Amino acid sequence: MTSAIETYLGWQEPRHFADCRKPAWTVDYRTDDEFRDRRGGGKHACSNEDCGHGDRYPRTTVRIVCPSCQAAVVIRGEAHSINEDTTSTTTHGYGLPPRKLAGLLLWPGEPWLNVGRLGSADPYDFVVTRPGVKRVTEADVVGAITQSRGKRRAVTWSSAALPTPGRYSRFNWDRTNEDTLRTVAAAAKWIAAQLADRAAPAGGTPGA
């Protein structure tokens, strides 16, 4: 399972030209199963573990084009054919609108759909940002909420707030709540309280 953090962070979006009036992208891909390397004879060298390193190999090309400004991005790589099974955004999390709770935005990750009695249609975790965010970046993240299990395997939630750059992971969290919060809303309220506490002047209260 991919975490919500990795679902939203680390991706790059192609750039439109500065005079683009209607920014939008069309995306197509093709796979040439017997692409021939014409740069020279003999076997080609690459780091793809699935490649036989012969003079013919499968190559997938992704073409991204803006019909308005005519910006075009072409991405090529050695790989077997792309899996064309189409799934819903509810399977992956990304593409779904964020939930609005406690004055924050909660961006959903993948759900536990196929884990027997532990299965749940709720996202396993959320990335949390302040309102007004359209595309999540590292600078936007203020917290995270993760699904866990309480007594009798009931769904509970833990939360973390106030991220700092991590040495071995993308973030370390300045404050965490491992208590078994019973709802996502309660976890969001806890994060909002930590943000308010951080913003409060020393010895005072928020807004005082």
Side-chain angles (χ1 to χ4, degrees), residues 69-108:
C69 68
Q70 304 299 306
V73 179
V74 177
I75 302 171
R76 298 186 179 92
E78 284 182 44
H80 296 290
S81 298
I82 294 176
N83 186 339
E84 296 186 22
D85 291 339
T86 300
T87 59
S88 167
T89 53
T90 56
T91 303
H92 303 287
Y94 58 81
L96 292 175
R99 299 185 188 183
K100 299 179 181 179
L101 291 170
L104 301 170
L105 296 181
L106 279 59
W107 301 82

Side-chain angles (χ1 to χ4, degrees), residues 37-60:
D37 189 347
R38 300 181 182 276
R39 292 173 295 179
K43 297 181 179 181
H44 75 288
C46 73
S47 58
N48 189 341
E49 296 179 356
D50 296 325
C51 178
H53 303 289
D55 61 351
R56 294 178 182 272
Y57 55 90
R59 185 180 74 168
T60 296

Side-chain angles (χ1 to χ4, degrees), residues 19-195:
D19 60 349
C20 187
R21 296 182 178 181
K22 296 181 178 180
W25 297 110
T26 60
V27 182
D28 300 280
Y29 71 85
R30 64 179 292 171
T31 298
D32 299 301
D33 291 325
E34 291 290 331
F35 178 76
R36 184 171 183 177
D37 189 347
R38 300 181 182 276
R39 292 173 295 179
K43 297 181 179 181
H44 75 288
C46 73
S47 58
N48 189 341
E49 296 179 356
D50 296 325
C51 178
H53 303 289
D55 61 351
R56 294 178 182 272
Y57 55 90
R59 185 180 74 168
T60 296
T61 304
V62 180
R63 184 177 60 195
I64 308 172
V65 178
C66 175
S68 177
C69 68
Q70 304 299 306
V73 179
V74 177
I75 302 171
R76 298 186 179 92
E78 284 182 44
H80 296 290
S81 298
I82 294 176
N83 186 339
E84 296 186 22
D85 291 339
T86 300
T87 59
S88 167
T89 53
T90 56
T91 303
H92 303 287
Y94 58 81
L96 292 175
R99 299 185 188 183
K100 299 179 181 179
L101 291 170
L104 301 170
L105 296 181
L106 279 59
W107 301 82
E110 294 182 29
W112 267 351
L113 293 176
N114 300 305
V115 288
R117 290 185 177 182
L118 299 182
S120 171
D122 276 324
Y124 174 73
D125 54 358
F126 295 86
V127 173
V128 182
T129 71
R130 297 184 187 276
V133 172
K134 302 299 182 182
R135 180 183 174 93
V136 181
T137 67
E138 290 194 21
D140 298 317
V141 176
V142 296
I145 298 173
T146 305
Q147 186 181 142
S148 54
R149 296 286 164 167
K151 295 180 180 179
R152 298 182 181 180
R153 312 309 296 171
V155 173
T156 57
W157 302 90
S158 58
S159 50
L162 305 173
T164 56
R167 181 177 180 183
Y168 300 107
S169 61
R170 193 175 293 275
F171 294 123
N172 290 325
W173 301 100
D174 186 57
R175 301 182 187 182
T176 58
N177 181 1
E178 301 298 336
D179 293 339
T180 53
L181 300 170
R182 299 184 65 178
T183 65
V184 174
K189 289 179 181 178
W190 182 88
I191 293 174
Q194 309 315 304
L195 298 177

